[in-house]
Every structure is written in structure tokens, then in C-alpha cells.
């Protein structure tokens, strides 16, 4: 019997994602000024209000209010009728110094310059990859993100669908073959998008939104997909567009947002596993973030190298201790090499240095690269280059830095050599 699996995504205007982006924008500014900054920044957003709290250790001087307002405007909350906008919202800043106990645990071994920085906390982290999309991500989540990225582009174009507002959610259900776990078809697409208030009958507006989504958005999404994925759209799909009928009140005015409440959207859409720790607002000494990126990098390269079709990687740490306390690997029976998963894990672990300091250096995680991760997923993204001014407006110092480095398939040759592939 076939089985169904659903994954969801949310837009950058979703209240939880607004919080994530504010937290990561603040983190980026601290890192831009001081790469050794230690940041744990949490944000709450609600009607006309932003509360920022957390622990900071840094030599940087950051205008938090300015960063918050810039981020809100960039997302698209720039109109008073949203009841949350960049000009009128009240900002309460409760950031304070990092605990000396935490600082001691992280830095106690780092004075020798030999990369002995301890983990910022205990915990377990996971990475996952599967060979069903080009970016080695689960198909349902891949499509859920893609729907909202294209919807955001349509909103910013203000042309074909001019009435869109920033808040939106998507969900895609895939039917899989029980024996092969191959995707057979898309059965359901659920999409709710915030929209302007109109004098028309709400039922008329609801029909228009549904028609516009199916006529304009869906073809744009299909055009971004490979032919194999495009074919999954050919069957009968049950579309549920704005199923409540009206979605005018949204964003932080419609629902309070908090940093770290969309961890499944941020990762693998329910596939694989999640250690429980959120990412946004945390500098890379927090292994919740940095080690999860390292796990993803290992999993993606294993799949790209043809070692397995599906891989889950787990790391675990103790606070203040550089070396992981465990490394686990599961290929779900899809391994293409004649090695059991336990031995495979030992072999893979031998070629990756997974101490926190080495992870930070390998993936260049002391750079201001995190705001972009805070919407449409921290994983499955395209590595790129961004230009950052490390100076001042008066004396700029523009440098190019790499983004989404953990998505590089740059250890494929090493893994193929390791397993004689």
C-alpha cells in the first residue's frame, strides 16, 4: 500500500519567522563588528511590539533598535494598517551580559590557540539527506519552501497578484511507494496567504485568491522543478487555498511570534530527526546550530557520493568539552557499500574533525551570514557569496564572504576514496 507524508513551510512574514530573522540580524551585526561575539538572542513579536532578550559577550556596539526596524521593513511590514510596522512598533531591549559560568565552559580550553574551544552546551544534533531532489532534501519540504519563495517574489513584484501581504503558510503531501519509498504523486497542496482587505464579498475574494494561486503561482513553481518532479503535478491534486476563507489579520498582529518555534520547517519537514535545539539567534559556539550544520554537510556528501540514498547523522556533546561524546549514522538500509552502519560511522568520523572550533573554521561560521538562514530553511540552500561592509559608512571595508558553506558537496571525492567507489 502507498503511504502519505506531509511537510509544511512558513513565509518570512510568519510571526515566528519574523522573530527568527530579528534574532539572526542582531547576531550578524555583532559578528560583523566582532567575530568572537557570543550571542544568544531571543525575540518576541506581537501587536505593535518587539521584545528582544538574551545574553551577549562582545566588543561590538550594536544599535539594536535600528537593526530591528530595518529587518521588519525588509520583510514587508511597512504599513500602519498591519498593526505591526517598522516605524510605529515599540522595541523593548532586555539583552544582558553572558553568564560567566557559560563563558568559562566554552573558553576554558581555548587559550592555547589549538582549536580546543568547548561546546557551548550539551545536546544532540541531527543532519539528514535523501536522494529525491537535487539539493538532497525531502520532496514535500522542498516544494513547500518553493511555493512560499515564489509567493514572496510575486508579493514583491506587486504585478500579477498585487494584494498579497507578508504572512503565509504552505503544506505539501506526497504519496510514496511503500516498497521503494519513491514519490508517486502530489496528493494535496494547502496554502494560506494573508491578503489586503477589500470591500468585495469575502467569498468573491476567496475564489479570486484560489484562482490566482492555481493560475499564476503553481506554474511558476513547476517551472522551477526538474522534469521528474514536474510529472508529479500531472495527477489530480486536492488544493486547499485559504481554507478559512479570509486572512486579512496576520503576522505579529494576528499571532504572537517567538524565536525558535519553527525548527521542523528550519530542517527536514519531519523527516529524519531533530535534537530539539533551535538555531536562530545563536552564535556558532552553540553546537545546537553549528553541529547541526556539520551533520547536514556530512549527510549530504554521503548521499552525493553514492554511499547511500538516505542518511541520518547524529552528533552529541557535553558543555565545555571539545570532542563529541557520540557520532551515529543511519542509512535506513540504503547503503551502496558492504559496510554496516556502525562501522560506516567509524570510518566517516575518522575524516571529519567535529570539535566546535574546527566546525566554526571549516564552515566559516564566525561571519555575518545568518539572517538569510532564518527563512525558507537553514538546510537545502545554495552556497553563495555575499558582500559585507566590515568598516563604516565613512570608511567602508567591503569583503566577500561565503554563505551556506555546509551545503557544499566538497567531500564527495574523499568519501568515494574512503569507500573505494
Amino acid at each position: 500500500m502507498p503511504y502519505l507524508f506531509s511537510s509544511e513551510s512558513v513565509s518570512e512574514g510568519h510571526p515566528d519567522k519574523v522573530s527568527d530573522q530579528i534574532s539572526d540580524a542582531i547576531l550578524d551585526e555583532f559578528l560583523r563588528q566582532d567575530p568572537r561575539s557570543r550571542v544568544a538572542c531571543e525575540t518576541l513579536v506581537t501587536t505593535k511590539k518587539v521584545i528582544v532578550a538574551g545574553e551577549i559577550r562582545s566588543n561590538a556596539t550594536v544599535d539594536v533598535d535600528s537593526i530591528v526596524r530595518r529587518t521588519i521593513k525588509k520583510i514587508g511590514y511597512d504599513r500602519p494598517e498591519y498593526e505591526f510596522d517598522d516605524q510605529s512598533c515599540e522595541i523593548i531591549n532586555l539583552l544582558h551580559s553572558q553568564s560567566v559560568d557559560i563563558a568559562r565552559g566554552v573558553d576554558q580550553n581555548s587559550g592555547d590557540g589549538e582549536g580546543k574551544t568547548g561546546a557551548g552546551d550539551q545536546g544532540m544534533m541531527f543532519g539528514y539527506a535523501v536522494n529525491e531532489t537535487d539539493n538532497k532534501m525531502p520532496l514535500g519540504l522542498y516544494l513547500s519552501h518553493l511555493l512560499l519563495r515564489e509567493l514572496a517574489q510575486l508579493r514583491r513584484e506587486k504585478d500579477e497578484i498585487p494584494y498579497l501581504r507578508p504572512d503565509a503558510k504552505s503544506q505539501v503531501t506526497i504519496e510514496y511507494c511503500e516498497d521503494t519509498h519513491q514519490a508517486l504523486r502530489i496528493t494535496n497542496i494547502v496554502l494560506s496567504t494573508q491578503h489586503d482587505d477589500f470591500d468585495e464579498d469575502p467569498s468573491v475574494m476567496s475564489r479570486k485568491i484560489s484562482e490566482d494561486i492555481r493560475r499564476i503561482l503553481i506554474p511558476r513553481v513547476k517551472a522551477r522543478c526538474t522534469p521528474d518532479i514536474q510529472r508529479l503535478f500531472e495527477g489530480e491534486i486536492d488544493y486547499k487555498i485559504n481554507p478559512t476563507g479570509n486572512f486579512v489579520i496576520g503576522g505579529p498582529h494576528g499571532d504572537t511570534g517567538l524565536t525558535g518555534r519553527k525548527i521542523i520547517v528550519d530542517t527536514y519537514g519531519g523527516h529524519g530527526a531533530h535534537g530539539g535545539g533551535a538555531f536562530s539567534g545563536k552564535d556558532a559556539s552553540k553546537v545546537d546550530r553549528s553541529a547541526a550544520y556539520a551533520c547536514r554537510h556530512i549527510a549530504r556528501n554521503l548521499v552525493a557520493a553514492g554511499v547511500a540514498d538516505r542518511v541520518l547523522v547524529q552528533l552529541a556533546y557535553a558543555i565545555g568539552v571539545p570532542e563529541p561524546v557520540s557520532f551515529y549514522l543511519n542509512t535506513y538500509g540504503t547503503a551502496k557499500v558492504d559496510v554496516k552502519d556502525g562501522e560506516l560511522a567509524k570510518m566517516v568520523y575518522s575524516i571529519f574533525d567535529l570539535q566546535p572550533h574546527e566546525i566554526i573554521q571549516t564552515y566559516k561560521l564566525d561571519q555575518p551570514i545568518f539572517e538569510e538562514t532564518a527563512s525558507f530553511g537553514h538546510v537545502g540552500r545554495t552556497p553563495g557569496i555575499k558582500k559585507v561592509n566590515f568598516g563604516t559608512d565613512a570608511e567602508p571595508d567591503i569583503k566577500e564572504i561565503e554563505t551556506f558553506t555546509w551545503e557544499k558537496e566538497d567531500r564527495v571525492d574523499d568519501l568515494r576514496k574512503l569507500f573505494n567507489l
Side-chain angles (χ1 to χ4, degrees), residues 85-278:
D85 70 278
D86 62 301
Q87 294 296 314
S88 66
C89 69
E90 177 188 2
I91 300 170
I92 301 173
N93 181 355
L94 303 177
L95 293 170
H96 59 84
S97 297
Q98 184 188 55
S99 158
V100 294
D101 291 337
I102 294 175
R104 185 183 303 112
V106 173
D107 294 339
Q108 62 182 353
N109 296 315
S110 61
D112 60 7
E114 295 297 328
K116 299 298 183 182
T117 302
D121 201 352
Q122 70 174 50
M124 66 281 191
M125 305 84 210
F126 290 93
Y128 180 81
V130 61
N131 196 17
E132 61 177 1
T133 57
D134 286 346
N135 62 356
K136 312 301 186 294
M137 289 291 287
L139 179 59
L141 182 64
Y142 170 85
L143 291 173
S144 295
H145 285 325
L146 186 54
L147 282 162
L148 295 185
R149 290 178 73 91
E150 286 299 313
L151 190 71
Q153 184 61 34
L154 284 163
R155 172 170 61 86
R156 290 187 166 90
E157 291 170 2
K158 299 180 181 180
D159 183 17
E160 294 182 275
I161 311 183
Y163 52 79
L164 296 171
R165 289 185 175 183
D167 196 358
K169 300 181 76 173
S170 64
Q171 183 174 282
V172 176
T173 303
I174 307 293
E175 183 179 81
Y176 287 93
C177 174
E178 189 171 29
D179 295 329
T180 65
H181 303 289
Q182 296 297 308
L184 302 175
R185 66 188 182 100
I186 300 166
T187 64
N188 296 80
I189 292 178
V190 182
L191 192 142
S192 296
T193 180
Q194 188 186 15
H195 56 84
D196 287 340
D197 197 4
F198 293 92
D199 295 330
E200 302 176 46
D201 183 329
S203 63
V204 174
M205 190 63 201
S206 181
R207 285 195 297 273
K208 175 174 175 52
I209 293 172
S210 183
E211 291 169 1
D212 286 349
I213 293 300
R214 296 179 67 165
R215 178 178 59 87
I216 300 169
L217 175 64
I218 299 301
R220 285 177 61 143
V221 169
K222 287 176 64 176
R224 292 276 303 275
C225 296
T226 62
D228 285 346
I229 297 176
Q230 289 178 359
R231 284 193 286 271
L232 301 179
F233 284 88
E234 293 174 1
E236 184 177 345
I237 299 174
D238 182 6
Y239 288 94
K240 290 180 172 61
I241 312 299
N242 280 25
T244 63
N246 214 38
F247 189 3
V248 174
I249 300 172
H253 179 47
D255 187 14
T256 297
L258 291 168
T259 301
R261 285 207 302 196
K262 287 292 175 283
I263 57 178
I264 300 303
V265 171
D266 286 342
T267 52
Y268 307 103
H271 290 270
H274 197 292

Side-chain angles (χ1 to χ4, degrees), residues 15-16 18-24 26 41-45 49-54 68 84 95 256-260 280-281:
D16 293 332
V18 173
S19 295
D20 284 344
Q21 289 165 92
I22 290 172
S23 292
D24 271 339
I26 292 170
C41 178
E42 310 288 347
T43 303
L44 180 150
V45 295
K49 198 178 296 289
V50 177
I51 301 174
V52 178
V68 170
F84 180 86
L95 293 170
T256 297
L258 291 168
T259 301
S280 289

